[in-house]
Amino acid sequence: MDLLVVLSFEALKAVASLALISVGLAIIFGMMRVINLAHGEFLMLGGYAAIVATKAGVNIWVATLLVSPLVVGLFGVVIERTIIRFLYGRPRDTMLATWGLSLFLVGLATTVFGNTTEGISAPAGSLQIGDYRIAAYSLIIIVIAIAVFAAIWAVFRFTRYGLIARSTMQNADMAAALGVNPSRVYAVTFGVGAGLAGLAGGVMAPITGIVPTIGAAYVAKAFITVIGGGPAILAGTVSASVLFGAIDQIITYLSTPVIGEVALLAAAVVLLRFMPQGITGRFFRRAA
């Protein structure tokens, strides 16, 4: 029984981690239709921001939950204003531009931090469940993921910005005719997506460590989750994270982490074969 509880807890942590990694891309790709191949590097920057701030004496919670998303969010606004704004409606050019940006950020991080793993200690101890111990930080990741998704849902459902953002992404010309500045909305929305990626990087830094090339491992999982989730941004990300995260964790327990990731990829291929519009393209069509 204790083992079952531990395995369930670890599966929840895997689901929460995958959801956090993917939600920023869900906003940038799902809402704005921008294929951001530098998403993994945004997470990497968030991790480094948390590490640098913590080593500079900033409280680890402030560094992880505030510094990381703010730094990367502001960086995302700058990138949108200088690069992305000229490429809307040009997916191939966007892919090339963000791929080049990802290579630049990897090279810059390697120059500044070196090609070694940087990390910070997890800010919590462990929990005892029968004969087993699990990291208390895993519970914190689950709580953070729930809080983030609840906040995003509330913002897009109940606030003026959420209404403006959704209407602008659906019909920018009509929004402009009603007095909305689409350019500003695009910049803020891209910054929010980048900031969420930075938050994920900061949250993951204590358990994975950060190297300049870690983004490559993140971006593939994020795209698989967002595409597999379908058109509904939040419901799709959550449902795909539950499916893929559970499969990854179960197969990892039965075999190895590598086989677990292979199983995740295989599940994504099968899902898109039978549901090409994603989970929420078939189910939860009214979901946000």
Side-chain angles (χ1 to χ4, degrees):
M1 185 64 182
D2 293 338
L3 178 59
L4 181 60
V5 172
V6 171
L7 291 177
S8 300
F9 191 83
E10 290 299 318
L12 283 175
K13 185 196 80 171
V15 169
S17 300
L18 189 57
L20 278 176
I21 289 169
S22 305
V23 67
L25 184 66
I27 289 177
I28 292 176
F29 177 63
M31 286 185 65
M32 303 179 68
R33 292 301 169 192
V34 173
I35 304 174
N36 180 24
L37 296 183
H39 176 74
E41 282 62 47
F42 285 0
L43 275 88
M44 177 263 291
L45 290 179
Y48 277 125
I51 291 169
V52 170
T54 301
K55 290 183 177 180
V58 178
N59 179 274
I60 188 170
W61 296 113
V62 175
T64 300
L65 302 179
L66 289 179
V67 174
S68 291
L70 285 176
V71 168
V72 182
L74 290 174
F75 178 76
V77 171
V78 172
I79 293 301
E80 197 280 337
R81 291 288 81 190
T82 56
I83 300 175
I84 303 299
R85 64 178 296 194
F86 303 106
L87 301 176
Y88 290 121
R90 297 159 55 188
R92 285 182 293 183
D93 294 341
T94 304
M95 290 176 62
L96 287 173
T98 55
W99 180 48
L101 176 63
S102 72
L103 295 178
F104 169 76
L105 292 176
V106 169
L108 181 62
T110 303
T111 301
V112 175
F113 298 102
N115 200 24
T116 57
T117 302
E118 297 279 347
I120 48 180
S121 300
S126 60
L127 299 174
Q128 185 77 34
I129 300 179
D131 296 330
Y132 301 93
R133 280 188 173 275
I134 59 175
Y137 192 68
S138 298
L139 176 61
I140 294 172
I141 291 176
I142 296 171
V143 172
I144 291 173
I146 293 172
V148 166
F149 275 81
I152 295 172
W153 177 79
V155 167
F156 282 111
R157 186 70 180 270
F158 299 114
T159 68
R160 184 171 182 269
Y161 165 74
L163 176 62
I164 291 174
R166 286 185 287 121
S167 62
T168 301
M169 301 309 160
Q170 292 176 5
N171 193 326
D173 292 336
M174 181 62 72
L178 295 174
V180 174
N181 185 340
S183 179
R184 183 179 301 170
V185 175
Y186 283 134
V188 172
T189 305
F190 193 91
V192 169
L196 289 170
L199 173 64
V203 170
M204 300 301 292
I207 59 175
T208 63
I210 301 294
V211 292
T213 57
I214 197 170
Y218 285 143
V219 71
K221 289 184 178 181
F223 268 104
I224 287 170
T225 303
V226 172
I227 295 172
I233 295 171
L234 296 183
T237 303
V238 170
S239 57
S241 296
V242 170
L243 176 63
F244 297 146
I247 290 174
D248 186 4
Q249 193 62 36
I250 292 171
I251 301 302
T252 294
Y253 172 74
L254 295 175
S255 54
T256 66
V258 174
I259 301 301
E261 294 198 359
V262 171
L264 186 154
L265 293 172
V269 171
V270 173
L271 173 69
L272 293 174
R273 168 62 181 83
F274 293 100
M275 288 187 285
Q277 294 183 336
I279 296 173
T280 55
R282 176 72 64 86
F283 311 104
F284 315 120
R285 293 187 178 182
R286 294 180 178 269

